[in-house]
Amino acid sequence: MSSYFPDSEMKTESPVSGVSRRDFLKFCTIMTATMGLPAGMVEKVMAAVENPKRPPVIWLHFQECTGCTESLLRATHPTVEHLVLDIISLDYSETLCAAAGHQVEEALHASVEANKGNFILVVEGSIPTADNGIYCKIGGKTAMEILKDIGPKAAACVAIGSCASWGGVQSAYPNPTGATGVSELLKEVPVINLPGCPASPYNILSTILYYLTLKKLPALDGEGRPVFAYGRLIHENCERRPHFDNGRFAEEFGDEGHRQGYCLYKLGCKGPETHANCPSILFGDVGSNAWPVGTGHPCFGCAEKGVGFHKPIHEQAAVYTVAPPATYPDFDEPKGKGIGVGAALVVGAAAGAAVAGGLKFSKVLKESDNSEEKKN
Ligand code: SF4
């Protein structure tokens, strides 16, 4: 999937600038499915996008690299950011504001007061808490003070990216600035975490669309993430999963297994313990393998608290769910030389469990083979 908008030519009128009506319909259908809503909701999603009444959004930047905004705005296809910026009223964003200094500070506070209790607060970046938060100051105030002042006046807060969700790279050991996520400090309003480094622009858009369509927040998991986007482990939907189940692993970067597209578990892939929809919706809008594992790099767990930026890349992931596929392809070998389907199922499960336990797959396969031979 290279883009949600394969055909960007303007053919008929569309509510979004630069998007054809046909692509707009297609997009709303895909977004409805992404949000886990029934097909009958497509019209409501379209109506929400077309509604001229746009929710006010205040977008604050704290301790971060601006990568989430950049990945949203610099997408190879221009439509996602058009949609985001067309369906919201972005009243304040330090990255996008043309004004600066006192002028923009006044605009921020005027918008907060005018929309008290109604605006959506978007936070990008972690909040340093060490030494009274002096490591991040804007307009003479610390990030902690700004969040404490503006946060409780919002209707809800969306913490975009791993930094705003739980500290991100700044919170890596020894975390000298005491970097933490928004939900640790803002308790007065609901906080939705959209972790990722950067967060997927599609998940940002889906979350906003969900709110606009259903007038409520999406169901969240125990880490405050929308279930529709973070409800499944990467490992469950990864295209390399059949290799994992069959014990085919890249042992080092550039080896034959790596070139063959084998599973990256032994190279430190954190897919088995990271919840995110990267393999389903892909990432970066740049081709059919547009996500880290698709390009041959192990997932480093950026969307999972305590994994990305905390577990070394070479450390193997804990495997919580080693569920083998329901069926395996038949083997052509004559009976007695190869292994039967029943044994293959056992081997598949054992392989995953064995790798999880640090055993060599070849040892498991050999033992299983021996037991088959004994039976025959
Ligand atoms: Fe995919 Fe990583 Fe799981 Fe292997 S360990 S199947 S590369 S998510």
Side-chain angles (χ1 to χ4, degrees), residues 234-235 238-241 244 262-265 269-272 291 293:
I234 283 177
H235 190 58
C238 177
E239 67 256 29
R240 298 183 190 226
R241 178 63 187 269
F244 178 92
Y262 288 176
C263 172
L264 304 169
Y265 180 79
C269 181
K270 305 297 188 292
W291 71 295
V293 169

Side-chain angles (χ1 to χ4, degrees), residues 212-300:
L212 294 183
T213 305
L214 299 177
K215 311 286 184 250
K216 63 177 185 177
L217 301 178
L220 305 178
D221 68 6
E223 301 292 355
R225 303 170 291 191
V227 174
F228 71 75
Y230 299 88
R232 287 186 174 275
L233 288 167
I234 283 177
H235 190 58
E236 292 178 59
N237 290 321
C238 177
E239 67 256 29
R240 298 183 190 226
R241 178 63 187 269
H243 293 305
F244 178 92
D245 288 327
N246 283 284
R248 293 187 292 265
F249 300 98
E251 300 284 340
E252 57 184 56
F253 288 100
D255 71 3
E256 185 56 22
H258 195 226
R259 284 201 294 276
Q260 292 289 336
Y262 288 176
C263 172
L264 304 169
Y265 180 79
K266 290 188 178 178
L267 300 182
C269 181
K270 305 297 188 292
E273 58 184 350
T274 301
H275 294 83
N277 55 2
C278 310
S280 311
I281 64 168
L282 301 179
F283 207 89
D285 206 15
V286 287
S288 58
N289 60 353
W291 71 295
V293 169
T295 63
H297 194 285
C299 160
F300 88 108

